[in-house]
Amino acid sequence: MHATPTTIEIFHQGKRVASQVRTHKAYTAITIHEHRPASHRAHLDWPPSRMIQWAATVGPRTREVVERVLEAFPHPEMGYRSCLGIIRLGQRYPVARVEAAAQRALTTGAVSYKSMDSILRRSLDQQPLNPPAARPLPGHDNIRGAAYFE
């Protein structure tokens, strides 16, 4: 590799195989489409609607999770890996479980592939969403109640 203030060059066995203009913007990645692996290029050719359509075949909650993942990034392509992970969850788990995991993710605000994977691995999708109601406290002389503060 050879880097100058304006370019980056990649060499293999003494021959230059790639050259790219360098950016100096913080947190900005520049990737030339042809430099990506073939599998990545294929997925980037998918429009976001394709991922949303797949999610809709699982259920409305899964669709909403995928839509939120895609909306969370400045460019929808940045959310493709998470969406593809959710698609793979649909291949490992029954559709009903994936949809239940999506419902839990939406309810708890943990909308991501990692959250859904964790919910499914721990079988939280099969647990009730609302915790059981707390039992009322027994009466006691030191408990003042709401009327005290009026």
Side-chain angles (χ1 to χ4, degrees), residues 2-149:
H2 182 257
T4 70
T6 58
T7 60
I8 294 182
E9 298 174 309
I10 306 295
F11 293 87
H12 179 67
Q13 296 179 347
K15 290 183 126 184
R16 185 174 78 174
V17 294
S19 178
Q20 187 166 327
V21 176
R22 188 177 202 165
T23 182
H24 293 287
K25 284 175 118 179
Y27 308 107
T28 302
I30 297 176
T31 305
I32 296 172
H33 187 69
E34 292 77 28
H35 293 176
R36 296 180 189 273
S39 61
H40 291 201
R41 285 192 304 248
H43 291 309
L44 287 174
D45 291 339
W46 290 8
S49 61
R50 183 173 178 180
M51 301 224 187
I52 294 168
Q53 279 180 323
W54 172 85
T57 65
V58 174
R61 299 294 168 240
T62 306
R63 176 189 172 124
E64 189 174 346
V65 167
V66 167
E67 286 174 341
R68 286 197 190 180
V69 167
L70 293 173
E71 291 168 0
F73 294 97
H75 303 287
E77 296 82 9
M78 296 171 84
Y80 278 14
R81 281 182 62 100
S82 292
C83 293
L84 291 171
I86 293 169
I87 288 171
R88 282 191 307 277
L89 290 175
Q91 295 166 354
R92 281 191 280 158
Y93 295 97
V95 170
R97 287 199 60 198
V98 175
E99 183 68 1
Q103 174 65 47
R104 181 174 285 271
L106 290 166
T107 301
T108 60
V111 180
S112 69
Y113 159 74
K114 284 186 176 189
S115 295
M116 287 196 50
D117 182 46
S118 177
I119 289 167
L120 289 164
R121 275 188 292 108
R122 296 181 175 156
S123 298
L124 295 175
D125 57 296
Q126 298 170 341
Q127 302 294 319
L129 270 170
N130 299 327
R135 292 180 294 148
L137 294 173
H140 191 276
D141 292 341
N142 290 338
I143 299 176
R144 296 175 249 177
Y148 176 85
F149 296 98

